[in-house]
């Protein structure tokens, strides 16, 4: 007697899928760190630890090292790329970056970080992802899978 096993491409109910545009390719996963505040590279982060140090930032005192950083975009000067490059060299860079607004400073920052990065999503990641959710980023395919905490 044979058993018929049906396979589908359905996504399990506890996984949310987003689609976006690749900025930097690669695959990574990790715990999400989410903020609706823009991030300043120069003077806003400690690149040796990946800690947000900007005085009035919602994530002040928290580190993005090894996490999937979800944020609206960059603010400040062109120091973004140098600070995130130092973070990568120090082993304190994010595992991946998901952001809504593409600018030249964030594009260069994403490239020097070498972390998979996506933008231009079909739905707003800031409305769907919460800090602590597990996020899988496949930037090569433009897919983000969110497993709610």
């Amino acid at each position: 007697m044979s058993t018929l096993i049906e396979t589908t491409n359905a996504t399990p109910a506890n996984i949310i899928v987003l689609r976006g545009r690749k900025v930097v390719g690669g695959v990574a996963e990790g715990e999400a760190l989410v903020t609706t505040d823009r991030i300043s590279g120069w003077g806003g982060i400690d690149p040796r630890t990946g800690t947000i140090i900007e005085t009035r930032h919602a994530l002040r005192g928290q580190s993005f090292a090894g996490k999937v950083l979800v944020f609206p975009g960059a603010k400040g000067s062109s120091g973004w790329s140098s600070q995130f490059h130092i973070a990568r060299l120090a082993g304190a860079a994010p595992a991946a970056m998901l952001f809504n607004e593409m600018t030249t400073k964030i594009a260069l920052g994403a490239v020097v970080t070498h972390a998979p990065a996506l933008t231009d999503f079909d739905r707003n990641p800031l409305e769907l992802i919460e800090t602590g959710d597990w996020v899988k980023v496949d930037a090569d395919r433009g897919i983000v899978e969110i497993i709610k905490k």
Side-chain angles (χ1 to χ4, degrees), residues 92-144:
M97 294 192 286
L98 308 175
F99 51 88
N100 291 338
E101 184 186 0
M102 172 63 94
T103 61
T104 54
K105 71 183 101 199
I106 200 167
L108 184 54
V111 168
V112 301
T113 303
H114 297 187
L118 291 168
T119 193
D120 294 340
F121 299 96
D122 58 351
R123 293 180 288 164
N124 187 349
L126 295 171
E127 294 174 357
L128 298 170
I129 305 172
E130 299 173 273
T131 294
D133 289 346
W134 192 259
V135 180
K136 297 178 181 181
V137 178
D138 184 339
D140 295 324
R141 293 181 12 195
I143 295 174
V144 178

Side-chain angles (χ1 to χ4, degrees), residues 1 9 11-12 18 21 46-47 53 62-64 68 70 77 82 84 100-101 128 130 146-147 149:
M1 177 176 188
N9 290 330
T11 302
L18 293 175
R21 181 173 58 86
D46 178 345
I53 60 172
Q62 295 185 56
S63 175
F64 51 67
V68 176
V70 184
S77 71
S82 67
F84 276 79
N100 291 338
E101 184 186 0
L128 298 170
E130 299 173 273
I146 304 142
I147 302 170
K149 60 180 172 187

Side-chain angles (χ1 to χ4, degrees), residues 5-6 12 35 50 59 61 70 74 109:
I5 300 173
E6 186 175 327
T35 181
L59 294 181
V70 184

